[in-house]
Amino acid sequence: MRSTCLLILATFILQAFSISTSAKGIKVKSENPNIIYILADDLGYGDVKCFNPKGKIPTPNMDEMASNGIMFTDAHTSSAVCTPTRYGILTGRYNWRSSLKSSVLGGYSKSLIRQERITIAEMLKEQGYTTAFIGKWHLGWDWKIKEGANKLNNLDKVQDVDYAAPISNGPSSHGFDYSFGFCGSLDMPPYVWVENDRPTMEPTKITRNIDAKGFWRRGPTGEDFNHTTVLQDVTDKAKGYIEEQAKLKQPFFLYLPLPAPHTPILPTTEFMGKSNTNMYGDFVMQVDDVVRQIRETLKQQGISENTLLVFTSDNGCSPRADFEELAKVKHYPSYNLRGAKADIFEGGHRVPFIVEWPAKALKNYSSNKIICTTDFFATCADLTDYKIKDTEAEDSYSMLPLLLGKDDTPIREYTVHHSINGSFAIRQGDWKLNICPGSAGWSYPKPHEIKKEKLDLPAMQLYNLKEDIGETKNLIAEYPEKALQLKTALKKIILDGRSTPGKVQENEGMDGWKQIQQIIN
């Protein structure tokens, strides 16, 4: 009897140590890791040394992170441009299921995420996490527009905003307890910090820079907003947040989307000339230093072992990096991939992707399994024992088995890609079908170049990426059955409103959606 009581007592004590109660009364497993997601902006697959050994830009901190974690060599963003990719990361849903079927939002655009759509931050809050967004939002939020609230997606039209009023439908409306950042890209007005829904200052000046690399559009700018220091400002806020959270026993989620190395390409003095390539290369090194600062802060606070740290990019490298200039020093941001940012080709959406979780994940491991940035939601749900509902994360697959090394089988049968003009591609294993001629983006042949030069190109492109990673040989004529099978699978994924198992869901904005007519007809 005494031994039975001791056993019950020991079990109770173990449970007490493994489960704590958050300030909100939610039971939290104490072993749940902190989660930090660092999202670079326009960083190419070939810009990180461990992914491109021939690259000329030193990235020692990303390389060290990879040696202590897992690098995914076949990782993809859900879109070849930034707003759509960010939507997919936070919702676990393909971006083209939202109302935005092509291109990106502007700095004054209204919120893209519907209020009823659960985000990863809201899900993690339910699981007892505190949550924060720090950096570049670019998913729209609702400014208080004084008048003329038209063409809000126009990147060059300055709106008359009441900066004394709080914003609505921003990060706090989508699950973030703390938020600090700006609305669009760093080259889109307004240039105003917004902290916990309120602008930190009303803009008192108008700034503009038309230099090719340091470019930003004309717009209202706050006195406390300096384009040159924004990257470090964001990093300092993130470090401060980590230091504060380390004092608590509650796990935290930090979403840290950086504004770099996107334009304006403004490396600080410390990094100017450091890469021996060009200013873009210097800026990439400054992004690499952000990784150093975050990792060092975690170690200093004694929480690095049980922090799941992710580093990736929102799409491929932008031509603003100056590909010709970089080629002179034999650096190629897309490495051996065709295309770059905005394109349906691999260079548009295949990105560096590194995960470090010293306590549990594999170390110094390279995985060639196909993953997508939409998979972050299901991974975190799996980590925290959250059961995803049918109306949530419709395109998200858990990467946890791959991270832990428990199962090395592919987690995805199909992966859908999307370009800036709304064109589709679908991937299955080694095969990829592009439902368009040309790049469907900014690389040759661009859509308008095909029309202008009257290029006689097939309507679709089929590639075997194992044999032809550079997408140089279109096999559409040789394998029509494979093309038809992939196109049929894509049609089902689109019309089912999901790619994961579950009940059929509805896409937004189906009426007049021109890009899918070639697929579903």
Side-chain angles (χ1 to χ4, degrees):
M1 181 70 177
R2 183 172 180 272
S3 60
T4 303
C5 291
L6 286 173
L7 181 61
I8 293 172
L9 179 61
T11 303
F12 177 80
I13 292 171
L14 284 172
Q15 289 176 340
F17 273 104
S18 64
I19 299 179
S20 62
T21 304
S22 75
K24 299 172 185 176
I26 302 169
K27 288 186 177 180
V28 185
K29 288 185 179 179
S30 61
E31 70 267 20
N32 278 353
N34 304 307
I35 302 169
I36 300 177
Y37 196 103
I38 305 176
L39 184 67
D41 197 359
D42 287 8
L43 181 73
Y45 182 93
D47 288 326
V48 181
K49 194 78 170 176
C50 57
F51 287 86
N52 175 14
K54 296 180 180 179
K56 303 303 179 184
I57 303 173
T59 54
N61 300 293
M62 297 179 205
D63 299 346
E64 184 179 318
M65 181 180 168
S67 68
N68 197 45
I70 307 172
M71 54 184 286
F72 288 89
T73 60
D74 207 343
H76 299 263
T77 54
S78 58
S79 170
V81 283
C82 53
T83 294
T85 290
R86 291 156 202 273
Y87 179 90
I89 290 170
L90 292 185
T91 65
R93 185 188 192 216
Y94 282 136
N95 49 272
W96 40 266
R97 299 196 195 280
S98 76
S99 59
L100 186 69
K101 305 303 184 186
S102 62
S103 196
V104 300
L105 297 183
Y108 298 98
S109 299
K110 289 185 175 294
S111 178
L112 178 62
I113 305 175
R114 287 186 173 181
Q115 196 59 54
E116 65 271 19
R117 170 64 51 182
I118 191 171
T119 67
I120 190 168
E122 289 171 300
M123 180 268 286
L124 287 173
K125 279 184 71 171
E126 284 189 28
Q127 300 305 90
Y129 278 68
T130 55
T131 59
F133 148 74
I134 299 173
K136 168 185 169 177
W137 185 242
H138 209 182
L139 282 163
W141 60 44
D142 299 350
W143 298 98
K144 185 176 180 182
I145 307 291
K146 292 181 180 178
E147 58 182 78
N150 61 333
K151 296 184 179 179
L152 292 179
N153 286 3
N154 188 305
L155 304 186
D156 295 304
K157 183 175 177 60
V158 174
Q159 300 289 337
D160 190 8
V161 173
D162 180 2
Y163 292 102
I167 62 141
S168 57
N169 295 323
S172 68
S173 299
H174 296 294
F176 291 99
D177 297 313
Y178 175 77
S179 61
F180 177 86
F182 51 96
C183 192
S185 287
L186 197 50
D187 57 10
M188 298 174 181
Y191 308 114
V192 175
W193 292 114
V194 174
E195 185 170 28
N196 294 332
D197 293 348
R198 286 192 171 274
T200 58
M201 280 190 175
E202 294 189 41
T204 56
K205 57 184 177 180
I206 300 293
T207 65
R208 182 188 186 190
N209 194 330
I210 58 174
D211 176 76
K213 287 193 178 73
F215 166 81
W216 70 81
R217 296 170 180 84
R218 178 180 181 277
T221 308
E223 289 291 341
D224 59 347
F225 196 100
N226 183 333
H227 281 78
T228 304
T229 64
V230 163
L231 181 57
Q232 189 57 47
D233 292 341
V234 165
T235 305
D236 289 341
K237 277 285 183 182
K239 288 161 60 180
Y241 177 79
I242 293 169
E243 289 166 359
E244 286 298 314
Q245 293 304 309
K247 300 172 186 175
L248 308 174
K249 293 183 179 180
Q250 189 175 357
F252 67 86
F253 165 51
L254 170 59
Y255 173 52
L256 182 57
L258 308 178
H262 189 289
T263 50
I265 298 170
L266 296 170
T268 55
T269 304
E270 178 187 354
F271 294 93
M272 286 288 286
K274 193 171 184 178
S275 70
N276 292 317
T277 56
N278 67 357
M279 285 180 64
Y280 172 78
D282 299 339
F283 212 24
V284 170
M285 288 197 71
Q286 189 171 345
V287 170
D288 182 69
D289 189 67
V290 172
V291 174
R292 175 191 66 79
Q293 293 182 63
I294 297 300
R295 293 179 78 235
E296 284 187 357
T297 301
L298 291 171
K299 290 176 183 176
Q300 289 164 1
Q301 298 303 313
I303 58 173
S304 62
E305 284 296 306
N306 198 33
T307 295
L308 190 152
L309 178 64
V310 179
F311 177 86
T312 188
S313 178
D314 64 347
N315 45 246
C317 181
S318 167
R320 290 276 188 175
D322 198 333
F323 297 153
E324 289 185 12
E325 198 172 71
L326 290 168
K328 290 177 181 178
V329 295
K330 294 182 168 48
H331 180 77
Y332 304 96
S334 295
Y335 188 26
N336 56 358
L337 309 175
R338 184 177 180 181
K341 176 181 178 177
D343 297 341
I344 204 67
F345 296 130
E346 290 291 288
H349 48 80
R350 188 183 292 220
V351 292
F353 197 106
I354 307 170
V355 181
E356 182 182 26
W357 184 13
K360 293 190 177 181
L362 295 172
K363 294 180 175 63
N364 197 25
Y365 187 79
S366 178
S367 173
N368 63 359
K369 297 299 180 288
I370 301 169
I371 63 169
C372 181
T373 45
T374 57
D375 296 334
F376 185 52
F377 192 116
T379 304
C380 291
D382 203 357
L383 268 174
T384 60
D385 296 327
Y386 176 87
K387 184 172 175 55
I388 297 174
K389 301 176 182 65
D390 272 329
T391 55
E392 301 168 354
E394 293 93 333
D395 303 295
S396 190
Y397 295 81
S398 175
M399 299 184 294
L400 192 58
L402 299 178
L403 299 181
L404 301 180
K406 291 184 176 179
D407 189 348
D408 198 38
T409 57
I411 63 171
R412 301 180 138 265
E413 181 177 8
Y414 298 104
T415 303
V416 180
H417 310 306
H418 207 228
S419 77
I420 191 171
N421 78 346
S423 293
F424 285 89
I426 182 169
R427 172 85 178 276
Q428 182 191 37
D430 298 332
W431 292 96
K432 179 185 175 190
L433 179 69
N434 299 347
I435 315 290
C436 58
S439 71
W442 295 345
S443 297
Y444 185 85
K446 305 174 187 177
H448 76 272
E449 290 171 332
I450 294 172
K451 186 175 181 180
K452 182 179 179 181
E453 298 176 22
K454 298 180 180 179
L455 299 176
D456 185 18
L457 298 176
M460 297 190 295
Q461 307 166 68
L462 180 68
Y463 298 105
N464 185 309
L465 297 182
K466 183 177 181 180
E467 299 174 357
D468 180 24
I469 191 65
E471 297 173 272
T472 62
K473 187 178 180 182
N474 186 359
L475 302 175
I476 194 75
E478 288 92 328
Y479 298 94
E481 298 88 358
K482 186 63 183 177
L484 179 59
Q485 179 248 314
L486 289 171
K487 185 179 176 183
T488 302
L490 177 58
K491 176 180 177 179
K492 177 174 171 55
I493 288 171
I494 292 174
L495 296 182
D496 282 356
R498 68 182 319 119
S499 56
T500 56
K503 294 181 181 178
V504 171
Q505 299 297 313
E506 291 187 8
N507 302 310
E508 300 164 37
M510 288 292 287
D511 293 339
W513 187 4
K514 295 180 181 178
Q515 292 96 337
I516 67 166
Q517 297 309 311
Q518 183 185 1
I519 300 168
I520 65 175
N521 291 338

